[in-house]
Amino acid sequence: MVDNIIGSNGLELNATMSQSQLKGLAQDEAHARYHAQLVSEERPPVFRSLAHELTAVIVLTFGASLATSNLGAMLIAMPHMGESFGISGADLSWTISAFSLSSGAFVLLLASIADNVGRKRMVLFAYVWYAIWCLASGFMKKDIVFDVFRGFQGLSGAAATPAAVGIIGATYVPGQRKNRAMATFSAGAPLGFIVGIICGGICTQFISWRAVLFFSTIEYSIFAILVWFSVPDDPHTDWSTMKKNLAKLDYFGALLATSALFMFVFALTQSGAASKGWAEPYVIVLLIVGIITFAMFIFWESKAKNPLMPLYIWRYPGFALCMLVSVCGFMNFMGVLNYHITLFFQDIRGASAILTTAYLVPQAICGVIVNIFAAFTLHLIPGRILMIIALTAFTASALLWALQPIDLIYWAMAFPAICLSVVGADLAYNVANMHTLAAVPRESQSSAAGIFNTIIQLTAAIGIAASTTIVEAAAKRSSHTGVQKLYDSYKAAFWFAVGISAVGLVCSAFLKVGKQGHKAAETDEEKNEEAT
């Protein structure tokens, strides 16, 4: 007879099992014990050592930095791209917003696919896909084709971020260790931005703006290799079940959402470029059809069996208001300030690409400091207080830019404005990201992260479109010429940023977001999971 042993997890172990089978069962038992805890500071058992854990978290962090490194590099190179393609204004804005629009429109679908095919596989796909399309974009001579390829690049941002944050969210149980892992992940945004602007400045100044794209190809090819070797493998996949699950995904919802968002952003962008502005018939038609299509998307999601955006998520306490506050903050940060201050330095102050890079470096350094602060305070300071601080910083930054004289030295107002903007961005990102993950069951965390990152990316695209329209309208009204006319138009965009961040500041006072990573918070999370 074969002897049987009952393991501590209740599983019956057969004495004839192979060593690998016994090892697998032992790992499953360790994972079950770890995830049974409400709060823990232990290293997750999927990591062999601290070095393995750090490597995996850092490599995943570059999923968060993918979009911001791209943004930083392209912002620095943007005036040179305009000269190369012979475009400006709304046409030039598409070189940036095509990435954000594509990324935002497909985040929810790709997050759902990640939950089914495996998050590590999705991160690996995203890095490889990004490297391929950066390489292809670097050879494009026509701006329209370049914009299309930028949209293909944006799919990698849509795939990487929710899958990467889903891996971290599902790997760790709540606690300060998870807070630090999430803060490290959140630091990817400012770190990516500094890599992007440094790369963009050096390549544009000394080689060519196209070299930025070739550098990105090399960079993410290396990261793809590191993902393969360092990130823990996805759980065993039953491919027949996976195919059935993929067939059930909400592809029609994705089509509705993508169509609505493209028409809406295109109408906003073209309203400033069209000869008649808002009086142009196709602009009005696209805007109205886009809004109607988005309403159809919401209705469809309420009826779909497997919705792309589960509407129940919006019912969790504080979630909807937290997203609204994030929209106000990140439209200020990504949709107005980061886009227009780069042009401000180069077009108005006459700064070179490398000097503009130097001007923006403090933003990333402050971002890293803020994320370190967040890592050690999320469990001590209520999220509402941190959000109020974040929106105050957003508003103050925009106000400094709006009031800044045309010839004032950098250190007087530009420097503190740059630092304050990233204080707002990184505090808001940490609080909103942690609250999003705490609101849903572990198996849906990629989808929840997808909703948050959809909002961030689309906020950037809509903010760029709206602020570009405001700039072009202000330029037409300005009685000045040359640099002074540009200055007047950029100030209008900065006042727009003041307005939207002030709305967010008022709303943040009513948030109900508590501390993250302590026992009381996790009791609430348990209730949320049961409610789901």
Side-chain angles (χ1 to χ4, degrees):
M1 280 181 73
V2 177
D3 293 330
N4 293 326
I5 305 169
I6 303 300
S8 61
N9 61 350
L11 293 176
E12 188 175 276
L13 308 182
N14 192 301
T16 62
M17 285 183 173
S18 67
Q19 285 295 108
S20 61
Q21 289 175 315
L22 290 171
K23 183 178 179 181
L25 286 172
Q27 290 174 342
D28 290 343
E29 183 178 352
H31 295 167
R33 283 201 308 269
Y34 176 74
H35 286 291
Q37 302 174 92
L38 288 178
V39 179
S40 175
E41 303 309 317
E42 298 175 14
R43 184 177 69 245
V46 292
F47 299 122
R48 298 183 300 272
S49 64
L50 178 60
H52 182 200
E53 179 184 12
L54 290 174
T55 303
V57 170
I58 290 171
V59 170
L60 291 171
T61 294
F62 281 94
S65 72
L66 190 152
T68 55
S69 64
N70 183 285
L71 175 65
M74 292 293 102
L75 284 174
I76 293 293
M78 187 166 50
H80 299 268
M81 286 191 292
E83 292 176 8
S84 177
F85 291 128
I87 56 176
S88 61
D91 292 333
L92 181 58
S93 73
W94 276 109
T95 61
I96 303 296
S97 58
F99 183 101
S100 298
L101 179 59
S102 170
S103 183
F106 286 94
V107 163
L108 292 174
L109 178 61
L110 292 177
S112 297
I113 293 175
D115 285 335
N116 285 281
V117 305
R119 293 160 183 163
K120 177 180 178 178
R121 295 185 186 97
M122 186 58 78
V123 172
L124 187 61
F125 162 80
Y127 288 6
V128 172
W129 180 268
Y130 182 63
I132 290 171
W133 288 107
C134 280
L135 179 64
S137 299
F139 293 104
M140 291 303 101
K141 303 297 183 183
K142 298 291 185 180
D143 64 293
I144 294 178
V145 180
F146 180 78
D147 292 342
V148 171
F149 281 22
R150 288 279 293 147
F152 288 148
Q153 290 176 33
L155 293 176
S156 59
T161 304
V165 76
I167 291 172
I168 295 175
T171 298
Y172 289 87
V173 299
Q176 294 182 46
R177 196 182 192 99
K178 180 176 183 177
N179 287 354
R180 290 192 288 270
M182 287 303 305
T184 300
F185 180 83
S186 299
L191 283 173
F193 190 72
I194 191 171
V195 170
I197 61 174
I198 291 173
C199 169
I202 293 173
C203 291
T204 302
Q205 184 76 30
F206 301 110
I207 309 174
S208 163
W209 68 266
R210 296 180 185 275
V212 174
L213 296 163
F214 300 141
F215 175 82
S216 296
T217 297
I218 297 170
E219 180 185 14
Y220 275 85
S221 296
I222 294 171
F223 292 147
I225 295 171
L226 292 175
V227 166
W228 179 270
F229 288 105
S230 66
V231 175
D233 291 334
D234 294 313
H236 173 70
T237 302
D238 180 352
W239 292 101
S240 61
T241 302
M242 184 195 75
K243 290 178 182 178
K244 291 179 182 178
N245 291 337
L246 288 176
K248 296 176 182 177
L249 292 182
D250 187 12
Y251 297 106
F252 183 66
L255 176 63
L256 286 175
T258 303
S259 301
L261 294 167
F262 178 80
M263 287 187 284
F264 184 76
V265 172
F266 187 82
L268 281 180
T269 303
Q270 292 304 111
S271 66
S275 57
K276 296 181 182 179
W278 286 106
E280 196 73 54
Y282 78 87
V283 172
I284 296 297
V285 169
L286 283 174
L287 183 66
I288 293 174
V289 174
I291 293 173
I292 293 173
T293 306
F294 188 74
M296 291 172 60
F297 166 71
I298 298 298
F299 177 77
W300 173 262
E301 293 304 284
S302 69
K303 303 297 182 182
K305 291 183 179 180
N306 298 288
L308 188 66
M309 183 181 70
L311 298 184
Y312 71 83
I313 290 178
W314 295 92
R315 295 198 298 269
Y316 283 110
F319 182 81
L321 186 58
C322 186
M323 293 301 103
L324 174 61
V325 172
S326 298
V327 164
C328 294
F330 282 96
M331 189 173 289
N332 168 308
F333 181 66
M334 299 176 68
V336 183
L337 296 188
N338 273 353
Y339 181 81
H340 288 287
I341 64 177
T342 306
L343 296 174
F344 180 89
F345 285 133
Q346 297 190 58
D347 294 344
I348 294 177
R349 294 283 176 82
S352 64
I354 198 70
L355 182 56
T356 303
T357 296
Y359 284 155
L360 295 175
V361 164
Q363 186 181 77
I365 295 173
C366 288
V368 174
I369 295 172
V370 171
N371 276 286
I372 293 172
F373 170 81
F376 292 96
T377 58
L378 281 170
H379 65 291
L380 298 174
I381 304 175
R384 182 176 69 89
I385 301 301
L386 292 175
M387 272 297 205
I388 290 173
I389 294 172
L391 270 295
T392 301
F394 276 134
T395 306
S397 174
L399 195 59
L400 286 173
W401 281 110
L403 297 174
Q404 185 172 173
I406 191 171
D407 55 357
L408 189 68
I409 63 169
Y410 168 78
W411 300 103
M413 295 178 78
F415 174 72
I418 285 171
C419 294
L420 283 170
S421 68
V422 80
V423 169
D426 287 317
L427 283 181
Y429 188 89
N430 270 285
V431 173
N433 211 16
M434 290 294 290
H435 183 65
T436 299
L437 292 177
V440 300
R442 189 175 293 111
E443 62 273 12
S444 299
Q445 287 183 343
S446 282
S447 295
I451 291 176
F452 174 56
N453 284 282
T454 293
I455 290 171
I456 298 301
Q457 291 298 328
L458 292 178
T459 291
I462 293 171
I464 290 172
S467 61
T468 299
T469 299
I470 290 170
V471 164
E472 298 206 359
K476 292 176 183 177
R477 292 196 305 268
S478 176
S479 59
H480 299 101
T481 58
V483 173
Q484 185 64 44
K485 184 176 184 178
L486 275 177
Y487 173 69
D488 293 341
S489 62
Y490 289 170
K491 280 189 69 174
F494 295 145
W495 279 114
F496 170 64
V498 172
I500 55 177
S501 55
V503 170
L505 177 58
V506 173
C507 292
S508 66
F510 299 95
L511 275 174
K512 295 181 180 179
V513 179
K515 303 172 186 177
Q516 300 293 333
H518 66 104
K519 291 183 184 289
E522 301 321 314
T523 300
D524 292 338
E525 182 184 344
E526 260 197 327
K527 292 177 181 177
N528 285 340
E529 291 198 19
E530 290 173 3
T532 304

